[in-house]
Amino acid sequence: MPTRKPRQTRRGRRGQWSRRFAFAGKLYLKECAYEQIWSLDATMAASNLNSSSATPGARIAAIDVGSNSIRLVVAEVLPSGGYRVLDEERENTRLAAALAKTGQLDPKAADATVTVLRNFLSIANGYGVSQLRAIGTSALRDAEDGPEFCDRVRKDLKLSIEVISANEEARLAFLSVARAFDISGRKVAVADIGGGSTEIVLASSGLVDQVYETRLGAVRVSERCGTTGKVSDKRVVELRDFLDRELKKEIGRPPFVPDMLFGTGGTFTALASIIMAQQGIAGQPMWGFRVTRPQIRHLVADLANMSLVQRCKVPGLTPQRADIIVAGLAIIERIMRQLQVNVVQVHTRGVRDGLLLTMVQQSPTPPAVPAEERRAAVEEFAKNCGEDLPHARHVARIAGELWQQLAGPLNLKADDRELIESAALVANVGYLINFEGHHKHSYHLIVNSELPGFERRQLQVLANVARYHRGADPKKKHENFSDLSLEDQQRVRALAAILRLALALDRTHQQNVGDVRARVTEDAVRIVIQSQGDTQVDVWAAERKVELFEKVFGRQVRFIARNANSPKRRRRSSHATKRATPKRQQ
């Protein structure tokens, strides 16, 4: 029986999933008259993708068990690393029809869903599919009897449904958008609206900064706010107020205003279909179609004033979606208001496309990545985020030297030298988003990057070290820190404490500090600096950054700057007036 992950209710549960978007080259979509082919530009290096586990020519399939509908897509893997769609099918079963009231799946809808899945499996078998993945989203995540339904499908159909988290759902939708549109150098938002939930991703230059998950699905909101039939003006106002409250609670104040909102899911394609029919261009490709917020607001008012029967006759709108379209469009319009964007661009694919791309790109046994390649990947990530690389490399050298010399006397892990050097290289990548709170943005960018060769646990430690290179000390009330094991919390404290010194020792960004030598005694750490220029400001800055170090290691920090053209000069920490109780790092 599948284990359902508990719903995460805290605002901005970010950094729970990880994909590599930093190294993508120009991406594009080819739309042909008789087939759709998704492919990578030849400029993307093969090393930037995981090796494919599905050989070219192999046929694969993905099934998405959603709250409103069940969808199947069958595809053929291409030599380029993309795929070609062979067949698609969908059926509205409204699995979440009774979920808001009962907390369980609708029995009739559950029976219908099993029947549809049986038919979909028959279609996939007819194509000779060699690999098939079925995922379940909001309805199966939230329903009390979701595990029982999955168990029934496994027994009756020999099909395992993987119930994915909202963060994973968002990841797949974003992966699809990143493959279909050129988002390099842009600040964008991606919204995936389903029947039971809506996921929103904020990204800058292809790097994910925030992921928000909400329970604002088209089916769920329709039932909650009573918008399936004709809707009064008063109820429309109540609907908007409800959505505003929920979005404000989940999103709050976004870190930046996106240049564009990309929308995935049936609500967005329905929106494009209706507007295109109004404009007399029905039948043209919907991919990339743009709609403004005023257009959506007017459309919501028009549709709300119609009865369900009238709505079913609206050109471009399928009868199966007529009862949930008002809520769905209102969700789009209020998201745009919350994010302060005026235009949404429709993406005709989404979660299923992301799932297929994952199947094509996954490697069952990825090879180990050599240290030099990991370092190159970290530097490339830093470069793409606009890091000052000469400064970052200089700080990485200082941090690495300090760690190597302090590891033995302070009982630190010598192998963590790579981590502190990597943290030095990416500590300030958050400047890509905003100067204010950039250390927090650095955390989200790093934890949402799939740096080659770094395991998930290492990425979390690395992101936390970058998070605490400035600002507040690590605290257990900080969610990103409390999620770590006790051992990793200790590592983060030690790594961040030393990184703060290393960063300060190039406060001028002039690389005046040469070799550093650290000597540890029972109650102090003496750091001798071989200067290559005027290090007065750098040492002054370092003296102001010793507090966390002295807390963690229980030793005062003293700096000595030496220059070949000047006599030896001794400096000590401003915190050295009161001796701390010696202790060793555990």
Side-chain angles (χ1 to χ4, degrees), residues 60-66 69-74 89 113 116-122 124 132-137 159-162 351-352 355-356 359:
I60 59 178
I63 295 176
D64 178 7
V65 182
S69 61
I70 317 299
R71 297 171 182 262
L72 165 73
V73 58
V74 180
E89 190 61 74
T113 299
V116 170
L117 289 173
R118 182 178 285 108
N119 295 338
F120 283 3
L121 287 175
S122 179
L132 183 149
R133 282 186 65 186
I135 59 171
T137 53
L159 173 66
S160 294
I161 299 177
E162 178 187 353
V351 173
R352 290 170 307 288
L355 181 60
L356 284 173
M359 293 169 66

PDB file of all heavy atoms in Angstrom, residues 60-66 69-74 89 113 116-122 124 132-137 159-162 351-352 355-356 359:
ATOM      1  N   ILE A  60       7.275   4.745 -24.766  1.00  0.00           N
ATOM      2  CA  ILE A  60       7.011   4.938 -23.351  1.00  0.00           C
ATOM      3  C   ILE A  60       5.638   5.586 -23.180  1.00  0.00           C
ATOM      4  O   ILE A  60       5.079   6.129 -24.135  1.00  0.00           O
ATOM      5  CB  ILE A  60       8.091   5.820 -22.689  1.00  0.00           C
ATOM      6  CG1 ILE A  60       8.166   7.198 -23.368  1.00  0.00           C
ATOM      7  CG2 ILE A  60       9.455   5.128 -22.732  1.00  0.00           C
ATOM      8  CD1 ILE A  60       9.174   8.147 -22.742  1.00  0.00           C
ATOM      9  N   ALA A  61       5.100   5.511 -21.987  1.00  0.00           N
ATOM     10  CA  ALA A  61       3.778   6.086 -21.737  1.00  0.00           C
ATOM     11  C   ALA A  61       3.719   6.650 -20.328  1.00  0.00           C
ATOM     12  O   ALA A  61       4.398   6.166 -19.412  1.00  0.00           O
ATOM     13  CB  ALA A  61       2.691   5.033 -21.923  1.00  0.00           C
ATOM     14  N   ALA A  62       2.896   7.690 -20.163  1.00  0.00           N
ATOM     15  CA  ALA A  62       2.674   8.297 -18.853  1.00  0.00           C
ATOM     16  C   ALA A  62       1.179   8.462 -18.642  1.00  0.00           C
ATOM     17  O   ALA A  62       0.451   8.850 -19.554  1.00  0.00           O
ATOM     18  CB  ALA A  62       3.370   9.655 -18.768  1.00  0.00           C
ATOM     19  N   ILE A  63       0.736   8.154 -17.417  1.00  0.00           N
ATOM     20  CA  ILE A  63      -0.665   8.315 -17.035  1.00  0.00           C
ATOM     21  C   ILE A  63      -0.726   9.250 -15.839  1.00  0.00           C
ATOM     22  O   ILE A  63       0.000   9.067 -14.857  1.00  0.00           O
ATOM     23  CB  ILE A  63      -1.314   6.965 -16.684  1.00  0.00           C
ATOM     24  CG1 ILE A  63      -1.365   6.055 -17.915  1.00  0.00           C
ATOM     25  CG2 ILE A  63      -2.721   7.174 -16.126  1.00  0.00           C
ATOM     26  CD1 ILE A  63      -1.904   4.657 -17.618  1.00  0.00           C
ATOM     27  N   ASP A  64      -1.587  10.256 -15.935  1.00  0.00           N
ATOM     28  CA  ASP A  64      -1.771  11.236 -14.864  1.00  0.00           C
ATOM     29  C   ASP A  64      -3.178  11.074 -14.301  1.00  0.00           C
ATOM     30  O   ASP A  64      -4.167  11.367 -14.986  1.00  0.00           O
ATOM     31  CB  ASP A  64      -1.573  12.646 -15.424  1.00  0.00           C
ATOM     32  CG  ASP A  64      -1.794  13.739 -14.377  1.00  0.00           C
ATOM     33  OD1 ASP A  64      -1.967  13.399 -13.191  1.00  0.00           O
ATOM     34  OD2 ASP A  64      -1.798  14.917 -14.761  1.00  0.00           O
ATOM     35  N   VAL A  65      -3.270  10.581 -13.063  1.00  0.00           N
ATOM     36  CA  VAL A  65      -4.557  10.402 -12.400  1.00  0.00           C
ATOM     37  C   VAL A  65      -4.832  11.669 -11.612  1.00  0.00           C
ATOM     38  O   VAL A  65      -4.338  11.852 -10.497  1.00  0.00           O
ATOM     39  CB  VAL A  65      -4.550   9.160 -11.481  1.00  0.00           C
ATOM     40  CG1 VAL A  65      -5.920   8.959 -10.845  1.00  0.00           C
ATOM     41  CG2 VAL A  65      -4.145   7.918 -12.264  1.00  0.00           C
ATOM     42  N   GLY A  66      -5.623  12.569 -12.190  1.00  0.00           N
ATOM     43  CA  GLY A  66      -5.883  13.852 -11.579  1.00  0.00           C
ATOM     44  C   GLY A  66      -7.216  13.926 -10.868  1.00  0.00           C
ATOM     45  O   GLY A  66      -8.017  12.971 -10.896  1.00  0.00           O
ATOM     46  N   SER A  69      -9.603  14.794 -14.215  1.00  0.00           N
ATOM     47  CA  SER A  69      -9.539  13.902 -15.370  1.00  0.00           C
ATOM     48  C   SER A  69      -8.344  12.959 -15.283  1.00  0.00           C
ATOM     49  O   SER A  69      -7.407  13.184 -14.517  1.00  0.00           O
ATOM     50  CB  SER A  69      -9.453  14.732 -16.665  1.00  0.00           C
ATOM     51  OG  SER A  69      -8.285  15.529 -16.650  1.00  0.00           O
ATOM     52  N   ILE A  70      -8.413  11.917 -16.102  1.00  0.00           N
ATOM     53  CA  ILE A  70      -7.318  10.953 -16.237  1.00  0.00           C
ATOM     54  C   ILE A  70      -6.766  11.118 -17.638  1.00  0.00           C
ATOM     55  O   ILE A  70      -7.522  11.169 -18.617  1.00  0.00           O
ATOM     56  CB  ILE A  70      -7.808   9.501 -16.051  1.00  0.00           C
ATOM     57  CG1 ILE A  70      -8.767   9.396 -14.872  1.00  0.00           C
ATOM     58  CG2 ILE A  70      -6.617   8.559 -15.891  1.00  0.00           C
ATOM     59  CD1 ILE A  70      -8.181   9.791 -13.552  1.00  0.00           C
ATOM     60  N   ARG A  71      -5.442  11.217 -17.751  1.00  0.00           N
ATOM     61  CA  ARG A  71      -4.829  11.477 -19.058  1.00  0.00           C
ATOM     62  C   ARG A  71      -3.739  10.453 -19.350  1.00  0.00           C
ATOM     63  O   ARG A  71      -2.998  10.038 -18.455  1.00  0.00           O
ATOM     64  CB  ARG A  71      -4.231  12.885 -19.096  1.00  0.00           C
ATOM     65  CG  ARG A  71      -5.262  14.006 -18.941  1.00  0.00           C
ATOM     66  CD  ARG A  71      -4.579  15.347 -18.758  1.00  0.00           C
ATOM     67  NE  ARG A  71      -5.524  16.428 -18.565  1.00  0.00           N
ATOM     68  CZ  ARG A  71      -5.942  17.258 -19.526  1.00  0.00           C
ATOM     69  NH1 ARG A  71      -5.481  17.111 -20.748  1.00  0.00           N
ATOM     70  NH2 ARG A  71      -6.796  18.221 -19.267  1.00  0.00           N
ATOM     71  N   LEU A  72      -3.647  10.104 -20.606  1.00  0.00           N
ATOM     72  CA  LEU A  72      -2.628   9.181 -21.099  1.00  0.00           C
ATOM     73  C   LEU A  72      -1.888   9.829 -22.257  1.00  0.00           C
ATOM     74  O   LEU A  72      -2.500  10.481 -23.108  1.00  0.00           O
ATOM     75  CB  LEU A  72      -3.283   7.880 -21.595  1.00  0.00           C
ATOM     76  CG  LEU A  72      -2.414   6.957 -22.472  1.00  0.00           C
ATOM     77  CD1 LEU A  72      -1.351   6.250 -21.629  1.00  0.00           C
ATOM     78  CD2 LEU A  72      -3.278   5.948 -23.213  1.00  0.00           C
ATOM     79  N   VAL A  73      -0.588   9.669 -22.293  1.00  0.00           N
ATOM     80  CA  VAL A  73       0.195  10.065 -23.458  1.00  0.00           C
ATOM     81  C   VAL A  73       1.191   8.959 -23.753  1.00  0.00           C
ATOM     82  O   VAL A  73       1.850   8.426 -22.854  1.00  0.00           O
ATOM     83  CB  VAL A  73       0.909  11.425 -23.233  1.00  0.00           C
ATOM     84  CG1 VAL A  73       1.830  11.380 -22.027  1.00  0.00           C
ATOM     85  CG2 VAL A  73       1.696  11.829 -24.469  1.00  0.00           C
ATOM     86  N   VAL A  74       1.250   8.564 -25.023  1.00  0.00           N
ATOM     87  CA  VAL A  74       2.178   7.539 -25.502  1.00  0.00           C
ATOM     88  C   VAL A  74       3.165   8.224 -26.424  1.00  0.00           C
ATOM     89  O   VAL A  74       2.779   9.039 -27.278  1.00  0.00           O
ATOM     90  CB  VAL A  74       1.437   6.417 -26.255  1.00  0.00           C
ATOM     91  CG1 VAL A  74       2.426   5.352 -26.736  1.00  0.00           C
ATOM     92  CG2 VAL A  74       0.368   5.785 -25.379  1.00  0.00           C
ATOM     93  N   GLU A  89      -4.900  10.471 -24.847  1.00  0.00           N
ATOM     94  CA  GLU A  89      -6.293  10.198 -24.509  1.00  0.00           C
ATOM     95  C   GLU A  89      -6.584  10.798 -23.147  1.00  0.00           C
ATOM     96  O   GLU A  89      -5.697  10.874 -22.290  1.00  0.00           O
ATOM     97  CB  GLU A  89      -6.558   8.692 -24.492  1.00  0.00           C
ATOM     98  CG  GLU A  89      -8.016   8.303 -24.396  1.00  0.00           C
ATOM     99  CD  GLU A  89      -8.833   8.812 -25.575  1.00  0.00           C
ATOM    100  OE1 GLU A  89      -8.712   8.260 -26.685  1.00  0.00           O
ATOM    101  OE2 GLU A  89      -9.587   9.794 -25.355  1.00  0.00           O
ATOM    102  N   THR A 113     -12.829   5.501 -12.811  1.00  0.00           N
ATOM    103  CA  THR A 113     -11.396   5.693 -12.995  1.00  0.00           C
ATOM    104  C   THR A 113     -10.687   4.363 -13.226  1.00  0.00           C
ATOM    105  O   THR A 113      -9.786   4.267 -14.071  1.00  0.00           O
ATOM    106  CB  THR A 113     -10.792   6.409 -11.773  1.00  0.00           C
ATOM    107  OG1 THR A 113     -11.410   7.691 -11.626  1.00  0.00           O
ATOM    108  CG2 THR A 113      -9.297   6.590 -11.927  1.00  0.00           C
ATOM    109  N   VAL A 116     -11.332   3.389 -16.778  1.00  0.00           N
ATOM    110  CA  VAL A 116     -10.529   4.190 -17.703  1.00  0.00           C
ATOM    111  C   VAL A 116      -9.075   3.728 -17.688  1.00  0.00           C
ATOM    112  O   VAL A 116      -8.443   3.607 -18.753  1.00  0.00           O
ATOM    113  CB  VAL A 116     -10.623   5.685 -17.334  1.00  0.00           C
ATOM    114  CG1 VAL A 116      -9.604   6.498 -18.125  1.00  0.00           C
ATOM    115  CG2 VAL A 116     -12.023   6.204 -17.591  1.00  0.00           C
ATOM    116  N   LEU A 117      -8.527   3.463 -16.512  1.00  0.00           N
ATOM    117  CA  LEU A 117      -7.148   2.992 -16.420  1.00  0.00           C
ATOM    118  C   LEU A 117      -6.967   1.670 -17.148  1.00  0.00           C
ATOM    119  O   LEU A 117      -5.940   1.446 -17.810  1.00  0.00           O
ATOM    120  CB  LEU A 117      -6.734   2.861 -14.949  1.00  0.00           C
ATOM    121  CG  LEU A 117      -6.543   4.170 -14.190  1.00  0.00           C
ATOM    122  CD1 LEU A 117      -6.293   3.907 -12.710  1.00  0.00           C
ATOM    123  CD2 LEU A 117      -5.378   4.971 -14.765  1.00  0.00           C
ATOM    124  N   ARG A 118      -7.952   0.802 -17.047  1.00  0.00           N
ATOM    125  CA  ARG A 118      -7.890  -0.482 -17.758  1.00  0.00           C
ATOM    126  C   ARG A 118      -7.831  -0.237 -19.267  1.00  0.00           C
ATOM    127  O   ARG A 118      -7.040  -0.870 -19.988  1.00  0.00           O
ATOM    128  CB  ARG A 118      -9.095  -1.352 -17.404  1.00  0.00           C
ATOM    129  CG  ARG A 118      -9.064  -2.732 -18.074  1.00  0.00           C
ATOM    130  CD  ARG A 118     -10.252  -3.584 -17.671  1.00  0.00           C
ATOM    131  NE  ARG A 118     -10.096  -4.098 -16.309  1.00  0.00           N
ATOM    132  CZ  ARG A 118     -10.799  -3.666 -15.260  1.00  0.00           C
ATOM    133  NH1 ARG A 118     -11.712  -2.719 -15.424  1.00  0.00           N
ATOM    134  NH2 ARG A 118     -10.603  -4.185 -14.068  1.00  0.00           N
ATOM    135  N   ASN A 119      -8.649   0.702 -19.750  1.00  0.00           N
ATOM    136  CA  ASN A 119      -8.634   1.025 -21.182  1.00  0.00           C
ATOM    137  C   ASN A 119      -7.313   1.652 -21.603  1.00  0.00           C
ATOM    138  O   ASN A 119      -6.781   1.349 -22.683  1.00  0.00           O
ATOM    139  CB  ASN A 119      -9.789   1.985 -21.506  1.00  0.00           C
ATOM    140  CG  ASN A 119     -11.146   1.359 -21.299  1.00  0.00           C
ATOM    141  OD1 ASN A 119     -11.277   0.125 -21.303  1.00  0.00           O
ATOM    142  ND2 ASN A 119     -12.172   2.191 -21.117  1.00  0.00           N
ATOM    143  N   PHE A 120      -6.791   2.531 -20.763  1.00  0.00           N
ATOM    144  CA  PHE A 120      -5.516   3.175 -21.083  1.00  0.00           C
ATOM    145  C   PHE A 120      -4.382   2.156 -21.163  1.00  0.00           C
ATOM    146  O   PHE A 120      -3.503   2.260 -22.029  1.00  0.00           O
ATOM    147  CB  PHE A 120      -5.198   4.246 -20.047  1.00  0.00           C
ATOM    148  CG  PHE A 120      -5.981   5.525 -20.208  1.00  0.00           C
ATOM    149  CD1 PHE A 120      -6.941   5.655 -21.193  1.00  0.00           C
ATOM    150  CD2 PHE A 120      -5.743   6.621 -19.380  1.00  0.00           C
ATOM    151  CE1 PHE A 120      -7.665   6.832 -21.352  1.00  0.00           C
ATOM    152  CE2 PHE A 120      -6.449   7.812 -19.531  1.00  0.00           C
ATOM    153  CZ  PHE A 120      -7.413   7.912 -20.518  1.00  0.00           C
ATOM    154  N   LEU A 121      -4.388   1.188 -20.268  1.00  0.00           N
ATOM    155  CA  LEU A 121      -3.363   0.146 -20.309  1.00  0.00           C
ATOM    156  C   LEU A 121      -3.455  -0.659 -21.598  1.00  0.00           C
ATOM    157  O   LEU A 121      -2.433  -1.041 -22.181  1.00  0.00           O
ATOM    158  CB  LEU A 121      -3.501  -0.776 -19.095  1.00  0.00           C
ATOM    159  CG  LEU A 121      -3.062  -0.201 -17.747  1.00  0.00           C
ATOM    160  CD1 LEU A 121      -3.362  -1.185 -16.627  1.00  0.00           C
ATOM    161  CD2 LEU A 121      -1.574   0.134 -17.763  1.00  0.00           C
ATOM    162  N   SER A 122      -4.669  -0.905 -22.047  1.00  0.00           N
ATOM    163  CA  SER A 122      -4.860  -1.641 -23.296  1.00  0.00           C
ATOM    164  C   SER A 122      -4.294  -0.845 -24.471  1.00  0.00           C
ATOM    165  O   SER A 122      -3.632  -1.405 -25.358  1.00  0.00           O
ATOM    166  CB  SER A 122      -6.348  -1.908 -23.512  1.00  0.00           C
ATOM    167  OG  SER A 122      -6.556  -2.613 -24.728  1.00  0.00           O
ATOM    168  N   ALA A 124      -1.879   1.441 -24.324  1.00  0.00           N
ATOM    169  CA  ALA A 124      -0.417   1.434 -24.192  1.00  0.00           C
ATOM    170  C   ALA A 124       0.171   0.107 -24.658  1.00  0.00           C
ATOM    171  O   ALA A 124       1.192   0.076 -25.362  1.00  0.00           O
ATOM    172  CB  ALA A 124      -0.031   1.709 -22.742  1.00  0.00           C
ATOM    173  N   LEU A 132       6.201   2.364 -18.563  1.00  0.00           N
ATOM    174  CA  LEU A 132       5.009   3.153 -18.259  1.00  0.00           C
ATOM    175  C   LEU A 132       5.059   3.609 -16.809  1.00  0.00           C
ATOM    176  O   LEU A 132       5.385   2.822 -15.913  1.00  0.00           O
ATOM    177  CB  LEU A 132       3.740   2.328 -18.518  1.00  0.00           C
ATOM    178  CG  LEU A 132       2.389   3.042 -18.307  1.00  0.00           C
ATOM    179  CD1 LEU A 132       1.345   2.476 -19.270  1.00  0.00           C
ATOM    180  CD2 LEU A 132       1.877   2.911 -16.871  1.00  0.00           C
ATOM    181  N   ARG A 133       4.734   4.883 -16.600  1.00  0.00           N
ATOM    182  CA  ARG A 133       4.645   5.407 -15.235  1.00  0.00           C
ATOM    183  C   ARG A 133       3.282   6.054 -15.037  1.00  0.00           C
ATOM    184  O   ARG A 133       2.805   6.803 -15.898  1.00  0.00           O
ATOM    185  CB  ARG A 133       5.740   6.447 -14.967  1.00  0.00           C
ATOM    186  CG  ARG A 133       7.110   5.846 -14.698  1.00  0.00           C
ATOM    187  CD  ARG A 133       8.097   6.923 -14.288  1.00  0.00           C
ATOM    188  NE  ARG A 133       7.748   7.538 -13.016  1.00  0.00           N
ATOM    189  CZ  ARG A 133       8.394   8.585 -12.497  1.00  0.00           C
ATOM    190  NH1 ARG A 133       9.396   9.126 -13.151  1.00  0.00           N
ATOM    191  NH2 ARG A 133       8.030   9.094 -11.330  1.00  0.00           N
ATOM    192  N   ALA A 134       2.673   5.753 -13.921  1.00  0.00           N
ATOM    193  CA  ALA A 134       1.387   6.357 -13.571  1.00  0.00           C
ATOM    194  C   ALA A 134       1.572   7.146 -12.284  1.00  0.00           C
ATOM    195  O   ALA A 134       2.129   6.629 -11.306  1.00  0.00           O
ATOM    196  CB  ALA A 134       0.324   5.282 -13.385  1.00  0.00           C
ATOM    197  N   ILE A 135       1.101   8.397 -12.290  1.00  0.00           N
ATOM    198  CA  ILE A 135       1.216   9.233 -11.101  1.00  0.00           C
ATOM    199  C   ILE A 135      -0.170   9.692 -10.649  1.00  0.00           C
ATOM    200  O   ILE A 135      -1.083   9.842 -11.454  1.00  0.00           O
ATOM    201  CB  ILE A 135       2.110  10.466 -11.352  1.00  0.00           C
ATOM    202  CG1 ILE A 135       1.557  11.332 -12.499  1.00  0.00           C
ATOM    203  CG2 ILE A 135       3.547  10.046 -11.625  1.00  0.00           C
ATOM    204  CD1 ILE A 135       2.258  12.660 -12.645  1.00  0.00           C
ATOM    205  N   GLY A 136      -0.307   9.898  -9.357  1.00  0.00           N
ATOM    206  CA  GLY A 136      -1.525  10.454  -8.791  1.00  0.00           C
ATOM    207  C   GLY A 136      -1.204  11.780  -8.138  1.00  0.00           C
ATOM    208  O   GLY A 136      -0.128  11.950  -7.552  1.00  0.00           O
ATOM    209  N   THR A 137      -2.137  12.730  -8.233  1.00  0.00           N
ATOM    210  CA  THR A 137      -1.867  14.059  -7.700  1.00  0.00           C
ATOM    211  C   THR A 137      -2.810  14.390  -6.543  1.00  0.00           C
ATOM    212  O   THR A 137      -2.983  13.589  -5.638  1.00  0.00           O
ATOM    213  CB  THR A 137      -1.948  15.100  -8.830  1.00  0.00           C
ATOM    214  OG1 THR A 137      -3.206  14.973  -9.519  1.00  0.00           O
ATOM    215  CG2 THR A 137      -0.827  14.881  -9.835  1.00  0.00           C
ATOM    216  N   LEU A 159      -1.113  -2.369 -11.842  1.00  0.00           N
ATOM    217  CA  LEU A 159      -0.555  -1.046 -12.134  1.00  0.00           C
ATOM    218  C   LEU A 159      -0.273  -0.319 -10.832  1.00  0.00           C
ATOM    219  O   LEU A 159      -1.163  -0.175  -9.993  1.00  0.00           O
ATOM    220  CB  LEU A 159      -1.537  -0.227 -12.981  1.00  0.00           C
ATOM    221  CG  LEU A 159      -1.154   1.243 -13.234  1.00  0.00           C
ATOM    222  CD1 LEU A 159       0.106   1.318 -14.108  1.00  0.00           C
ATOM    223  CD2 LEU A 159      -2.309   1.999 -13.886  1.00  0.00           C
ATOM    224  N   SER A 160       0.949   0.131 -10.662  1.00  0.00           N
ATOM    225  CA  SER A 160       1.322   0.887  -9.464  1.00  0.00           C
ATOM    226  C   SER A 160       1.201   2.380  -9.751  1.00  0.00           C
ATOM    227  O   SER A 160       1.801   2.885 -10.702  1.00  0.00           O
ATOM    228  CB  SER A 160       2.759   0.563  -9.046  1.00  0.00           C
ATOM    229  OG  SER A 160       2.873  -0.782  -8.638  1.00  0.00           O
ATOM    230  N   ILE A 161       0.405   3.067  -8.931  1.00  0.00           N
ATOM    231  CA  ILE A 161       0.269   4.518  -9.060  1.00  0.00           C
ATOM    232  C   ILE A 161       1.177   5.183  -8.035  1.00  0.00           C
ATOM    233  O   ILE A 161       1.077   4.928  -6.839  1.00  0.00           O
ATOM    234  CB  ILE A 161      -1.187   4.965  -8.831  1.00  0.00           C
ATOM    235  CG1 ILE A 161      -2.114   4.339  -9.875  1.00  0.00           C
ATOM    236  CG2 ILE A 161      -1.290   6.490  -8.885  1.00  0.00           C
ATOM    237  CD1 ILE A 161      -3.576   4.669  -9.663  1.00  0.00           C
ATOM    238  N   GLU A 162       2.049   6.037  -8.512  1.00  0.00           N
ATOM    239  CA  GLU A 162       2.962   6.776  -7.639  1.00  0.00           C
ATOM    240  C   GLU A 162       2.294   8.095  -7.245  1.00  0.00           C
ATOM    241  O   GLU A 162       2.100   8.975  -8.081  1.00  0.00           O
ATOM    242  CB  GLU A 162       4.269   7.048  -8.373  1.00  0.00           C
ATOM    243  CG  GLU A 162       5.268   7.861  -7.581  1.00  0.00           C
ATOM    244  CD  GLU A 162       6.474   8.258  -8.416  1.00  0.00           C
ATOM    245  OE1 GLU A 162       6.584   7.774  -9.570  1.00  0.00           O
ATOM    246  OE2 GLU A 162       7.284   9.069  -7.920  1.00  0.00           O
ATOM    247  N   VAL A 351       2.567  18.617 -16.594  1.00  0.00           N
ATOM    248  CA  VAL A 351       3.029  17.547 -15.707  1.00  0.00           C
ATOM    249  C   VAL A 351       3.349  16.273 -16.477  1.00  0.00           C
ATOM    250  O   VAL A 351       4.392  15.648 -16.240  1.00  0.00           O
ATOM    251  CB  VAL A 351       1.972  17.268 -14.616  1.00  0.00           C
ATOM    252  CG1 VAL A 351       2.366  16.035 -13.801  1.00  0.00           C
ATOM    253  CG2 VAL A 351       1.824  18.475 -13.708  1.00  0.00           C
ATOM    254  N   ARG A 352       2.477  15.869 -17.404  1.00  0.00           N
ATOM    255  CA  ARG A 352       2.730  14.633 -18.151  1.00  0.00           C
ATOM    256  C   ARG A 352       3.973  14.760 -19.020  1.00  0.00           C
ATOM    257  O   ARG A 352       4.761  13.829 -19.141  1.00  0.00           O
ATOM    258  CB  ARG A 352       1.520  14.265 -19.016  1.00  0.00           C
ATOM    259  CG  ARG A 352       0.334  13.820 -18.212  1.00  0.00           C
ATOM    260  CD  ARG A 352      -0.901  13.689 -19.075  1.00  0.00           C
ATOM    261  NE  ARG A 352      -1.192  14.892 -19.860  1.00  0.00           N
ATOM    262  CZ  ARG A 352      -1.656  16.034 -19.341  1.00  0.00           C
ATOM    263  NH1 ARG A 352      -1.878  16.127 -18.043  1.00  0.00           N
ATOM    264  NH2 ARG A 352      -1.908  17.073 -20.103  1.00  0.00           N
ATOM    265  N   LEU A 355       6.911  14.459 -16.844  1.00  0.00           N
ATOM    266  CA  LEU A 355       7.102  13.062 -16.461  1.00  0.00           C
ATOM    267  C   LEU A 355       7.785  12.288 -17.573  1.00  0.00           C
ATOM    268  O   LEU A 355       8.733  11.511 -17.327  1.00  0.00           O
ATOM    269  CB  LEU A 355       5.746  12.435 -16.128  1.00  0.00           C
ATOM    270  CG  LEU A 355       5.750  10.974 -15.683  1.00  0.00           C
ATOM    271  CD1 LEU A 355       6.581  10.799 -14.423  1.00  0.00           C
ATOM    272  CD2 LEU A 355       4.319  10.491 -15.446  1.00  0.00           C
ATOM    273  N   LEU A 356       7.344  12.496 -18.819  1.00  0.00           N
ATOM    274  CA  LEU A 356       7.973  11.809 -19.945  1.00  0.00           C
ATOM    275  C   LEU A 356       9.430  12.231 -20.103  1.00  0.00           C
ATOM    276  O   LEU A 356      10.303  11.401 -20.363  1.00  0.00           O
ATOM    277  CB  LEU A 356       7.207  12.095 -21.233  1.00  0.00           C
ATOM    278  CG  LEU A 356       5.887  11.344 -21.420  1.00  0.00           C
ATOM    279  CD1 LEU A 356       5.160  11.855 -22.653  1.00  0.00           C
ATOM    280  CD2 LEU A 356       6.115   9.846 -21.532  1.00  0.00           C
ATOM    281  N   MET A 359      11.441  10.431 -17.648  1.00  0.00           N
ATOM    282  CA  MET A 359      11.634   9.033 -18.039  1.00  0.00           C
ATOM    283  C   MET A 359      12.702   8.905 -19.109  1.00  0.00           C
ATOM    284  O   MET A 359      13.526   7.990 -19.088  1.00  0.00           O
ATOM    285  CB  MET A 359      10.308   8.459 -18.551  1.00  0.00           C
ATOM    286  CG  MET A 359       9.231   8.342 -17.488  1.00  0.00           C
ATOM    287  SD  MET A 359       7.598   7.979 -18.177  1.00  0.00           S
ATOM    288  CE  MET A 359       7.857   6.320 -18.833  1.00  0.00           C
TER     289      MET A 359
END
